[in-house]
Amino acid sequence: MKIIIVQSYSEMSQEAADVVTSIIKANNRAVLGLATGSTPEGMYVELVKRFRNGLIDFQEVVSFNLDEYLNLPPDHRQSYHYYMKTKLFDHINIRPEKVNIPSGSAENPELECSRYDRKIIEAGGINLQILGIGSNGHIGFNEPADALSINTHLVELTPDTLQANSRFFESLEQVPKKAITMGMGSIMSAKKILLLASGTGKARAIKSMSDGIVTTAVPASLLQLHHDATVIIDSDAAALL
Ligand code: GLP
């Protein structure tokens, strides 16, 4: 695992956008694994800027998002569908049929999970997986647990995550208690992984994901086993390293 420490959130976002840009320049049909949350927002702003300046073309790019809340309609302002549409997809030329996000409103969520895994395989797997990290060490919505799932699955969010994500909702009660998330298998099968983190709130998670021990209590620690995982963090997130 390669750790790059930068001075600021903006530097982190620029460097992350550089990685995405070079992946797409090397392969205009690249398959991107995308993340939501506040961390990658700056990277998306930068990618939109580069698209507008003609520096990057998303025409043939395929995307798979990591996760989605269960039973939150796609047009709900806190759904990850809405996030991706408003922060990225509405502003670039990615083709709608090449965009994939798990459907949290599918009639049969289990079927939706297996459909999603099949689509990732049919697309040839993920070239670059972007990740944020929860303050409890989760990635996607793979929460700390005794065992972690390999495939896309339904997950019950932990009290930590409900609390952390309640800042986006009017109250804690409104945060959906369940979500669909890509499993550790799909994430670890990505050819390249880029994890971003910023702020002191992530310092403990960053320390425990990179201290040489792999444990399902810190799902992100499994990334230490990946052959091409890069972590770009600002100095606050690196405070305990
Ligand atoms: C959410 C998402 C994750 C994200 C994490 C951190 O729970 N499911 O994909 O990485 O929170 O979010 P933030 O970047 O807002 O701290």
Side-chain angles (χ1 to χ4, degrees), residues 34-123:
L34 298 177
T36 52
S38 45
T39 309
E41 276 187 33
M43 178 192 76
Y44 292 138
V45 168
E46 184 58 30
L47 288 174
V48 169
K49 213 186 293 169
R50 292 179 190 199
F51 168 71
R52 287 189 177 140
N53 291 335
L55 300 172
I56 182 166
D57 182 6
F58 291 88
Q59 176 85 12
E60 300 298 332
V61 167
V62 176
S63 74
F64 285 91
N65 262 81
L66 276 169
D67 47 13
E68 178 58 287
Y69 290 113
L70 197 68
N71 293 328
L72 213 55
D75 57 353
H76 189 288
R77 294 179 76 85
Q78 297 312 332
S79 77
Y80 291 163
H81 278 75
Y82 187 85
Y83 173 108
M84 290 309 302
K85 182 175 151 51
T86 52
K87 307 233 182 276
L88 185 65
F89 299 148
D90 275 356
H91 313 291
I92 60 173
N93 64 341
I94 195 165
R95 303 221 299 263
E97 66 273 21
K98 303 219 173 216
V99 163
N100 299 279
I101 307 179
S103 168
S105 19
E107 222 166 272
N108 183 332
E110 267 88 16
L111 265 185
E112 171 61 7
C113 293
S114 45
R115 182 198 68 85
Y116 204 68
D117 284 333
R118 253 197 329 274
K119 276 210 101 173
I120 298 175
I121 291 165
E122 281 165 15

Side-chain angles (χ1 to χ4, degrees), residues 35-40 66-67 80 132-134 138 140-141 161 165 167-168 202:
T36 52
S38 45
T39 309
L66 276 169
D67 47 13
Y80 291 163
I133 184 168
H138 76 222
F141 270 133
T161 298
N165 291 5
R167 70 190 194 277
F168 299 114
K202 299 293 169 69

Side-chain angles (χ1 to χ4, degrees), residues 127-184:
N127 296 111
L128 171 66
Q129 176 65 59
I130 306 289
L131 295 172
I133 184 168
S135 48
N136 63 357
H138 76 222
I139 46 180
F141 270 133
N142 291 279
E143 296 279 33
D146 291 341
L148 299 174
S149 299
I150 290 172
N151 296 325
T152 301
H153 59 286
L154 269 177
V155 66
E156 193 114 7
L157 303 181
T158 62
D160 281 350
T161 298
L162 294 173
Q163 187 64 50
N165 291 5
S166 66
R167 70 190 194 277
F168 299 114
F169 292 82
E170 274 169 30
S171 67
L172 182 60
E173 290 63 48
Q174 288 187 13
V175 187
K177 311 272 179 300
K178 290 184 178 177
I180 294 182
T181 183
M182 237 185 234
M184 293 304 299

